[in-house]
């Protein structure tokens, strides 16, 4: 059974389609595009191409495919150029379509290539990781990394449709599933105290009966926030709230070197740091912080860096974060579990203290 949820963005609205496999639905979509004379190409990574070898010929009949290396290092200017060259070699015109099949790296890279090529072609998302299903495939943020920082180059480019087939998670390595849980936990922390409590009582895993419902709930939250503030222009709150833990987490990824931590692992540590910042600002109690850290560790995620990291390097990375406004980093803090605000006047000493508590020196 296929269920749909619409991301309401006026003429750019699109469906999130939920189901177990969705192979027939994807194949029908591709056939319709081909019938309309539109060329369709697929972007994926080497790990997925090997793990889901049967999925591609079944779902993407007649679609040329570009396979790139897996991992955060693929979100680079070099590989971005490779994708653009592939589109040109396939003679994709403005009616052409790119389908990004993979995790957050492939979705971000493919979406940005679709936004840039011929000044914008249509693209579809088929997320295959938990993180991509609940977060990066929804909302139209695309981009790549620079040496200076995470996601510093990109564009807002909404997909035409997102196919969320939860059976694809069955082959996901445990570490990758855990990384996706950082974003699931984030939704409970920033917006839904009931979801937080549910995860606290029943930690989620790939075999959980509630997995599909939790994925859909996370997508509902993100769709609502995106519909209210598509391009993150709200002066307070809005889409920026989805960055809870990310200012800390992105700094950790950059300083450690992309790929040392999975994105979700860095965000898990970032969520712990955000909880400590919220406590220092007088919003959360020590008991709240302990609940949050217990939740994170119960889902096999770290709350401290594995090796000491230089505090100065981390603070420099924060200063280059894309959410900086008027020279000030914008942090997301919780006023309670399930409620958040944005805050741009956090003293450097307070942020430094949070970094030290998660292992910076």
């Amino acid at each position: 059974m296929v269920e749909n949820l619409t991301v309401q963005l006026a003429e750019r609205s699109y469906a999130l389609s939920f189901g177990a496999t969705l192979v027939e639905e994807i194949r029908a979509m591709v056939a319709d595009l081909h019938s309309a004379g539109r060329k369709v190409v697929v972007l994926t990574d080497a790990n997925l191409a090997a793990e889901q070898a049967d999925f591609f010929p079944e779902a993407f009949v007649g679609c040329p495919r570009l396979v790139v290396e897996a991992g955060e290092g693929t979100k680079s200017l070099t590989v971005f150029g490779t994708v653009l060259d592939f589109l040109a070699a396939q003679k994709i015109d403005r009616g052409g379509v790119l389908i990004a099949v993979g995790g957050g790296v492939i979705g971000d890279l493919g979406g940005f290539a679709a936004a840039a090529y011929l000044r914008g072609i249509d693209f579809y998302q088929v997320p295959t990781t938990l993180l991509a299903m609940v977060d990066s495939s929804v909302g139209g943020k695309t981009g790549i990394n620079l040496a200076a920082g995470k996601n510093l180059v990109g564009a807002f480019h909404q997909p035409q449709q997102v196919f969320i087939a939860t059976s694809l998670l069955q082959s996901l390595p445990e570490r990758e599933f855990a990384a996706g849980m950082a974003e699931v936990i984030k939704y409970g922390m920033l917006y839904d105290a009931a979801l937080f409590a549910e995860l606290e009582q029943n930690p989620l895993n790939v075999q959980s009966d509630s997995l599909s419902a939790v994925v859909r709930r996370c997508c509902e939250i993100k769709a609502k926030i995106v519909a209210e503030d598509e391009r993150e222009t709200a002066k307070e709150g809005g889409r920026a709230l989805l960055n809870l833990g990310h200012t800390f987490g992105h700094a950790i990824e950059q300083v450690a070197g992309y790929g040392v931590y999975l994105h979700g692992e860095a965000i898990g540590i970032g969520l712990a740091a955000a909880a400590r910042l919220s406590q220092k600002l007088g919003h959360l109690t020590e008991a709240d912080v302990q609940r949050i850290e217990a939740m994170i560790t119960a889902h096999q995620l770290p709350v401290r860096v594995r090796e000491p990291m230089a505090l100065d390097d981390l603070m420099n990375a924060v200063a280059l974060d894309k959410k900086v406004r008027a020279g000030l980093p914008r942090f997301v803090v919780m006023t309670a579990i399930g409620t958040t605000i944005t805050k741009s006047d956090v003293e450097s000493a307070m942020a430094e203290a949070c970094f030290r508590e998660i292992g910076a020196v």
Side-chain angles (χ1 to χ4, degrees):
M1 179 180 175
V2 179
E3 297 182 357
N4 288 317
L5 170 68
T6 300
V7 181
Q8 299 287 355
L9 293 170
E11 73 277 4
R12 293 183 307 286
S13 296
Y14 55 94
L16 311 179
S17 297
F18 300 86
T21 64
L22 299 181
V23 169
E24 293 182 5
E25 289 74 17
I26 295 170
R27 187 166 55 225
M29 176 268 291
V30 170
D32 287 345
L33 291 169
H34 283 158
S35 295
R38 304 178 70 181
K39 189 159 188 178
V40 182
V41 297
V42 171
L43 173 68
T44 191
D45 69 47
N47 287 354
L48 189 66
E51 293 163 3
Q52 299 287 346
D54 295 338
F55 179 62
F56 289 93
E58 290 175 359
F60 304 102
V61 179
C63 299
R65 180 173 36 151
L66 175 63
V67 179
V68 297
E69 291 301 311
E72 192 71 25
T74 292
K75 280 178 58 171
S76 68
L77 286 167
T78 299
V79 183
F80 175 64
T82 299
V83 179
L84 296 179
D85 286 340
F86 171 74
L87 294 172
Q90 293 300 320
K91 297 181 171 57
I92 297 297
D93 60 21
R94 285 194 170 119
V97 174
L98 171 66
I99 304 178
V101 186
V105 167
I106 293 299
D108 286 359
L109 173 67
F112 185 36
Y117 186 74
L118 298 179
R119 297 188 177 89
I121 62 172
D122 288 346
F123 88 110
Y124 289 73
Q125 290 255 37
V126 183
T128 60
T129 66
L130 180 61
L131 187 150
M133 288 182 185
V134 302
D135 191 67
S136 60
S137 68
V138 181
K141 276 190 176 181
T142 72
I144 57 176
N145 305 326
L146 299 180
K150 176 98 170 178
N151 294 332
L152 290 184
V153 180
F156 287 96
H157 191 53
Q158 299 294 345
Q160 298 298 301
Q161 189 171 358
V162 182
F163 294 89
I164 299 174
T166 51
S167 65
L168 293 171
L169 297 176
Q170 296 301 317
S171 63
L172 198 65
E174 288 184 8
R175 185 184 174 195
E176 289 279 359
F177 185 88
M181 281 306 304
E183 298 290 352
V184 175
I185 293 166
K186 177 194 77 174
Y187 286 114
M189 290 171 61
L190 75 90
Y191 194 88
D192 191 340
L195 174 61
F196 185 93
E198 178 184 342
L199 296 171
E200 195 173 28
Q201 292 297 315
N202 300 292
L204 198 68
N205 60 59
V206 74
Q207 303 300 331
S208 297
D209 292 339
S210 59
L211 177 60
S212 294
V214 170
V215 168
R216 183 183 173 92
R217 176 57 182 151
C218 292
C219 289
E220 287 174 348
I221 294 170
K222 183 156 190 184
K224 182 178 187 300
I225 293 173
V226 168
E228 292 172 352
D229 183 25
E230 179 185 2
R231 292 178 176 266
E232 202 170 307
T233 54
K235 291 183 178 179
E236 301 293 339
R239 187 166 180 165
L241 297 177
L242 295 168
N243 292 310
L244 178 66
H246 284 57
T247 298
F248 291 108
H250 285 172
I252 291 166
E253 282 187 277
Q254 182 200 335
V255 173
Y258 295 120
V260 172
Y261 291 91
L262 295 179
H263 175 65
E265 292 171 340
I267 298 307
I269 301 169
L271 291 173
R276 291 180 173 276
L277 177 60
S278 301
Q279 180 194 14
K280 293 180 190 304
L281 290 167
H283 300 305
L284 297 187
T285 66
E286 177 61 27
D288 291 329
V289 173
Q290 294 305 315
R291 282 182 66 194
I292 289 166
E293 293 198 348
M295 160 83 84
I296 295 167
T297 56
H299 287 91
Q300 314 309 312
L301 287 166
V303 293
R304 304 284 185 279
V305 295
R306 291 191 288 265
E307 301 288 341
M309 302 179 73
L311 178 60
D312 287 347
D313 292 343
L314 290 166
M315 291 302 294
N316 287 336
V318 167
L320 289 170
D321 187 86
K322 68 181 186 299
K323 296 179 289 298
V324 168
R325 296 289 186 273
L328 296 172
R330 184 159 61 153
F331 290 92
V332 183
V333 299
M334 288 167 283
T335 54
I337 292 176
T339 307
T340 43
I341 59 172
T342 53
K343 193 167 181 61
S344 298
D345 58 349
V346 174
E347 295 179 1
S348 295
M350 193 172 288
E352 290 172 0
C354 294
F355 271 128
R356 286 194 184 94
E357 290 175 13
I358 56 90
V361 294

